[in-house]
Amino acid sequence: MRRLTRSELASRVGPRPPSDAFWRRAIDRGAAALAVGADAVGGGGEGETDEPAGPLDTGDIVDVGDHAFVVVGADRTESGGRIYRIELVADRDEG
């Protein structure tokens, strides 16, 4: 498990990182899907499923301002990229 800042994630996903609008919608909805192209995934060729390659792994946390998202899953795309499912982590003060 890694903990990344928004800017660290942006440097890992290539030339088109998630925009401010993406993060605002993700915060409002409490979840999102983040698509990453094959060029950002690197390694992890066919048959290598034990250790997913890419900028994120399930369980990683991405800090976005006062909010944090956890990666809850990743699906491989036909072109070799990944779609990461992320969910907003509830504030400790809530509940």
Side-chain angles (χ1 to χ4, degrees):
M1 179 180 95
R2 295 171 287 191
R3 189 165 199 133
L4 305 167
T5 65
R6 178 181 169 180
S7 61
E8 289 171 328
L9 175 66
S11 70
R12 292 172 178 253
V13 298
R16 297 187 59 133
S19 67
D20 291 343
F22 170 86
W23 291 115
R24 281 193 301 271
R25 285 190 305 272
I27 291 166
D28 289 346
R29 293 177 181 155
L34 175 62
V36 176
D39 55 337
V41 173
E46 286 297 316
E48 295 180 32
T49 57
D50 292 343
E51 189 172 326
L56 294 170
D57 290 316
T58 301
D60 286 354
I61 295 173
V62 179
D63 291 316
V64 180
D66 293 335
H67 303 282
F69 288 87
V70 64
V71 179
V72 296
D75 298 310
R76 185 180 299 221
T77 65
E78 288 183 24
S79 63
R82 299 284 188 281
I83 297 176
Y84 296 101
R85 294 181 312 280
I86 60 174
E87 292 182 358
L88 187 63
V89 176
D91 292 333
R92 293 182 189 174
D93 296 338
E94 291 181 8

